[in-house]
Amino acid sequence: MKVKITRNAAKQLKTIMEQEEDKDLKLRVYITHAHGDHAHYGLALDKPTEEDEVISTDKEIDVIVKKDESLLDGIILDYLYLPEEGFVITNPSKGNTGDH
């Protein structure tokens, strides 16, 4: 499984995680719903279970994803300021380049 976090997203995530009291929590990316080869994603701070895989990123942020979930393999987590400020998760390797 591959997960990429952009510099903007890493900066925002580190700020959020530093404020969290439970330092054992990691970032979870999950699928809120999927249709066909397209998925919508969500974020949470969580602890891994036996059903999960923890992916280390080059931004020193570990990401929890559900094992064997193909729509999570290759996701890119970004933080955009325009047109609306917030996190954006896409998976270009699966043809998912943004919300529709």
Side-chain angles (χ1 to χ4, degrees):
M1 294 274 241
K2 293 181 182 180
V3 174
K4 171 131 177 78
I5 299 176
T6 67
R7 187 178 308 136
N8 282 345
K11 181 179 175 183
Q12 296 295 326
L13 289 168
K14 286 179 181 180
T15 299
I16 292 167
M17 296 174 88
E18 286 169 1
Q19 295 172 357
E20 181 59 46
E21 289 182 24
D22 187 346
K23 300 302 180 192
D24 291 333
L25 293 177
K26 299 184 184 315
L27 178 68
R28 176 182 293 278
V29 178
Y30 58 94
I31 295 174
T32 58
H33 79 275
H35 44 93
D37 61 353
H38 181 83
H40 296 262
Y41 302 95
L43 298 173
L45 293 179
D46 201 1
K47 293 182 181 177
T49 68
E50 292 179 9
E51 297 177 2
D52 298 322
E53 184 175 341
V54 177
I55 310 296
S56 296
T57 68
D58 63 346
K59 301 297 189 283
E60 299 176 0
I61 297 172
D62 291 337
V63 179
I64 304 168
V65 295
K66 188 174 179 183
K67 286 181 186 173
D68 302 322
E69 179 53 72
S70 66
L71 291 174
L72 290 171
D73 187 18
I75 56 174
I76 298 174
L77 177 58
D78 198 359
Y79 190 88
L80 302 178
Y81 295 94
L82 294 172
E84 199 173 296
E85 189 169 344
F87 290 102
V88 175
I89 303 168
T90 58
N91 192 337
S93 69
K94 303 289 188 253
N96 180 349
T97 56
D99 288 337
H100 57 264

